[in-house]
Amino acid sequence: MSALVFLVLLLLGLPLAFALLAGGLVYFAMDSHLPITVAVQRMVAASQSFPLLAVPFFVLAGHVMNHSGITQRLITVSNVLVAWISGGLAHVTIVLSALMGGVSGSAIADAAMQARVLGGPMQSSGLSKGFTAATITVSALITACIPPSIGLILYGYMGNVSIGRLFLAGLIPGILLTLVLMLVVYVQARKKGFTPVQAAPPSAMQVLKALNQSKWALCFPILLIVTIRFGIFTPSEAGAFAVLYACIVGKWVYRELTLAELITSLRDSISDIGMIMFIILSSGVVGYAIAYEQLPVSLTLAVTQLTTQPQLILLLCMVILLVVGVVMEGTITVLLLTPILVPLMQSVGVDPVHFGILMLIMVTFGGTTPPVGIAMYAVCNILHCSATDYVKAAMPLFLAVLALVVVLALYPPLVLFLPDLLF
């Protein structure tokens, strides 16, 4: 009944957090053994987590960086590096997504920002509206892997998995996603006759100059991983460091961050943080109901009766996440399914770090597809692109992403090499 209430309210347009909380409260109201006060206690308990402090800090850091000149310099270096390849600015948006993974931490924020900044120039350079929207939206998947992905932090919190290991594990898949998407865009651009923005590759001096101008922005993800790996910062402390780093670079290095822009960053962050935290608190109620009903145990028994092969179980979970991700927003999917699926993965011998990277890619992938793709609708609305044109242009990118996920699932060292090496 509670699941039905949640789905009905969601379809009626009620905000996600309220629909989730209502579904959880219905469960407690219908169970005579559980007083409603337990639901309130679970909401409070869900907020009492030190690692969870990383979320508001990284959200604030992303907003400050967007107002400090860091984002613009990342666009410049991306343009210098890849604008000469067939597809031009389409490659720029892919490389920028890889660089922005350590800045925005959010696929939806990354896609919306790039649609506003690069959408117009991409179309002016000769790229079609559907191709532009598809490239911007699907390339935002890279943000799900590159630290400090908000999704990885939430997964680590809900599944009791090392966030430091997750951050390292996301690097190689993030790079592979970047290369695969660039290859598909290159092939499609040559097929459709899209010409590059620049006629010739940049000189070594141009590359060095662009890298030098962006060195403080490019150093951020490296500093983040190094400080967490060597125990200098916890993930939460790294988030606070990220805010301080963005303020120092914006104010005294690039000299673009003003007091008014800092206040704007704080105001925008409050809205985003409030939304995320309310969803987390509401998920605490639902999460308790899931544990009380022993759904993880039931799911484990049901799946292991079908097969005991870890890789087949992993691929089956990927299919489930694909279906769920298409109809449900990524954050809530992570919060609801992590406590259910992580015990299942551990019971069959799948590393939860390996599974976490795959899970984040799949649930974020759902945001790029109809019918409930939030990132897709955000970009299409900004660019005034129809869903039909978007889907037609995005199909090769979709197939490439799914193929890469299968490879990552069947060959775990691609994900686990760095965390096993450094931890």
Side-chain angles (χ1 to χ4, degrees):
M1 177 59 74
S2 57
L4 180 61
V5 170
F6 167 70
L7 292 174
V8 169
L9 293 177
L10 202 61
L11 292 173
L12 292 176
L14 193 70
L16 177 62
F18 290 101
L20 188 62
L21 180 59
L25 292 178
V26 166
Y27 174 83
F28 280 88
M30 295 181 64
D31 193 319
S32 59
H33 301 290
L34 291 174
I36 198 70
T37 53
V38 175
V40 179
Q41 292 170 356
R42 297 317 304 171
M43 289 187 69
V44 175
S47 67
Q48 306 304 300
S49 170
F50 183 72
L52 203 57
L53 282 174
V55 174
F57 279 131
F58 279 121
V59 170
L60 175 58
H63 283 288
V64 173
M65 288 180 175
N66 285 336
H67 289 90
S68 63
I70 290 177
T71 300
Q72 187 56 47
R73 282 164 177 80
L74 292 177
I75 293 174
T76 301
V77 72
S78 301
N79 195 63
V80 170
L81 291 175
V82 295
W84 58 275
I85 305 174
S86 293
L89 292 179
H91 293 287
V92 173
T93 192
I94 295 172
V95 172
L96 182 59
S97 289
L99 298 178
M100 284 289 291
V103 177
S104 71
S106 166
I108 298 173
D110 179 44
M113 182 278 295
Q114 293 203 46
R116 292 187 181 95
V117 175
L118 291 174
M122 287 175 71
Q123 293 178 67
S124 299
S125 70
L127 302 179
S128 67
K129 189 173 291 187
F131 189 78
T132 297
T135 306
I136 290 175
T137 306
V138 179
S139 67
L141 282 173
I142 303 168
T143 309
C145 302
I146 303 293
S149 163
I150 300 299
L152 288 178
I153 296 172
L154 294 178
Y155 172 84
Y157 161 69
M158 296 299 295
N160 196 26
V161 181
S162 168
I163 295 175
R165 284 178 59 85
L166 286 168
F167 279 3
L168 278 171
L171 290 177
I172 291 179
I175 293 171
L176 291 176
L177 263 176
T178 302
L179 296 176
V180 166
L181 292 178
M182 288 183 69
L183 176 62
V184 174
V185 164
Y186 175 79
V187 172
Q188 292 296 308
R190 291 294 296 267
K191 181 179 178 181
K192 298 177 183 296
F194 297 145
T195 56
V197 177
Q198 297 177 6
S203 65
M205 187 59 65
Q206 288 175 312
V207 173
L208 290 175
K209 182 179 178 181
L211 292 175
N212 181 60
Q213 291 175 343
S214 307
K215 60 180 179 292
W216 295 104
L218 297 173
C219 281
F220 170 65
I222 300 172
L223 288 172
L224 194 70
I225 292 172
V226 169
T227 54
I228 292 176
R229 163 61 187 89
F230 290 102
I232 300 172
F233 295 139
T234 65
S236 301
E237 292 166 345
F241 164 75
V243 176
L244 183 62
Y245 182 88
C247 291
I248 291 174
V249 171
K251 178 65 177 177
W252 286 288
V253 179
Y254 294 151
R255 301 182 183 277
E256 294 185 18
L257 183 64
T258 64
L259 180 59
E261 288 172 332
L262 180 59
I263 293 174
T264 300
S265 299
L266 289 168
R267 185 182 298 115
D268 294 342
S269 299
I270 289 172
S271 175
D272 290 346
I273 293 167
M275 174 190 66
I276 293 172
M277 293 307 297
F278 193 14
I279 292 174
I280 292 172
L281 296 183
S282 300
S283 70
V285 180
V286 177
Y288 183 84
I290 289 172
Y292 186 79
E293 291 290 338
Q294 295 187 324
L295 287 181
V297 177
S298 302
L299 181 62
T300 300
L301 292 174
V303 172
T304 51
Q305 285 177 355
L306 294 175
T307 177
T308 57
Q309 292 294 323
Q311 290 182 326
L312 290 179
I313 293 175
L314 181 58
L315 290 174
L316 179 61
C317 286
M318 292 301 101
V319 174
I320 294 172
L321 289 171
L322 175 61
V323 174
V324 173
V326 167
V327 297
M328 191 179 294
E329 198 271 329
T331 301
I332 195 62
T333 304
V334 171
L335 292 172
L336 286 180
L337 295 188
T338 296
I340 299 175
L341 296 179
V342 168
L344 169 61
M345 292 295 104
Q346 291 175 320
S347 70
V348 297
V350 175
D351 193 305
V353 173
H354 179 212
F355 175 68
I357 299 301
L358 297 177
M359 179 177 186
L360 261 294
I361 294 175
M362 292 307 294
V363 300
T364 309
F365 180 77
T368 68
T369 62
V372 195
I374 296 179
M376 177 193 75
Y377 287 125
V379 172
C380 287
N381 286 337
I382 292 171
L383 300 180
H384 304 290
C385 174
S386 69
T388 303
D389 291 341
Y390 167 85
V391 172
K392 188 181 300 183
M395 195 57 66
L397 298 171
F398 289 163
L399 296 176
V401 170
L402 293 176
L404 179 60
V405 168
V406 172
V407 172
L408 293 175
L410 297 179
Y411 193 66
L414 287 174
V415 179
L416 298 175
F417 171 73
L418 282 180
D420 287 347
L421 178 67
L422 298 177
F423 272 84

